[in-house]
Amino acid sequence: MTKLDSEGLPTYEQIDSVSFTDFALVEIDDLTFLRVENPGRSVRDLLNALETLVGMGFTVKPVTFDKGQPTTVFSSVDTSKLVGLKVVGAVLADDLVARMEFVSKEGMAVESMTVLDGLKYRVEHAVFELVLGGLKGQIAFAANGTVKISGQVAPKLVSLVEKDLHFFV
């Protein structure tokens, strides 16, 4: 850390910081999944510590939902609706890249969004609002494998997503 002394000259001090990462190891069948809660910019220290414990050959691969979505979540809630969508596509004929973000409080259906007709795109981020027993929650899927869950039913939603993880490996 740099601070200025009484004469305005910079002095350098070392400070100790404390950080922590909440994580869980989830075993489903013969697979072990690492769930990191509220990850910082880097979970390198955590992965290095796990490699030390497990040994050489330890690898981590993010689980992404690019070929579908965890169906147990959506079949186990009373209602669900898509309320946020961010897509990236290309219009090759015009040498353009399209980045579009859509938000709706009422929900939206991708099939009825004519602006996406004929566009080759990839979903970067999708947010769903879910209701279970009168309680609301949100689940957001990102292309990089990050799943954010919030709301009053968050613990239930986490367990439902974990039930489907083995389908996406």
Side-chain angles (χ1 to χ4, degrees), residues 125-147:
H125 193 254
V127 181
F128 295 87
E129 183 178 277
L130 309 168
V131 177
L132 178 63
L135 301 175
K136 287 186 178 183
Q138 278 196 344
I139 185 166
F141 300 99
N144 66 2
T146 302
V147 177

Side-chain angles (χ1 to χ4, degrees), residues 21 23 25 34 43-56 58 60:
T21 303
F23 69 94
L25 295 174
L34 171 67
V43 290
R44 180 171 296 172
D45 291 337
L46 172 63
L47 296 177
N48 287 341
L50 287 172
E51 181 182 23
T52 301
L53 292 171
V54 175
M56 294 299 286
F58 169 75
V60 175

Side-chain angles (χ1 to χ4, degrees), residues 61-71 122-123 141-143 167-169:
K61 181 178 104 174
V63 175
T64 59
F65 299 94
D66 55 353
K67 294 183 177 72
Q69 56 192 5
T71 55
R122 181 172 63 99
V123 175
F141 300 99
F167 293 126
F168 297 96
V169 178

Side-chain angles (χ1 to χ4, degrees), residues 55-122:
M56 294 299 286
F58 169 75
T59 60
V60 175
K61 181 178 104 174
V63 175
T64 59
F65 299 94
D66 55 353
K67 294 183 177 72
Q69 56 192 5
T71 55
T72 302
V73 171
F74 296 98
S75 63
S76 301
V77 296
D78 300 331
T79 62
S80 66
K81 60 185 175 182
L82 178 65
V83 294
L85 181 68
K86 183 176 182 180
V87 299
V88 176
V91 183
L92 299 177
D94 297 329
D95 195 28
L96 299 172
V97 173
R99 290 184 178 89
M100 295 177 272
E101 190 165 350
F102 306 94
V103 180
S104 170
K105 288 182 179 179
E106 303 302 318
M108 59 187 116
V110 177
E111 314 76 61
S112 63
M113 299 172 73
T114 56
V115 71
L116 296 176
D117 289 346
L119 180 67
K120 291 183 180 182
Y121 64 90
R122 181 172 63 99

Side-chain angles (χ1 to χ4, degrees), residues 5 17-18 25 31-32 38 52 62 69 71 87 89 98 101 109 115 126 132 149 156 165:
D5 64 12
S17 65
V18 176
L25 295 174
L31 299 170
T32 302
N38 300 319
T52 301
Q69 56 192 5
T71 55
V87 299
E101 190 165 350
V115 71
L132 178 63
I149 298 175
K156 177 68 174 176
L165 285 176

Side-chain angles (χ1 to χ4, degrees), residues 1-3 11-19:
M1 177 175 91
T2 305
K3 72 179 198 179
T11 59
Y12 304 98
E13 290 183 25
Q14 182 174 342
I15 59 169
D16 294 324
S17 65
V18 176
S19 64

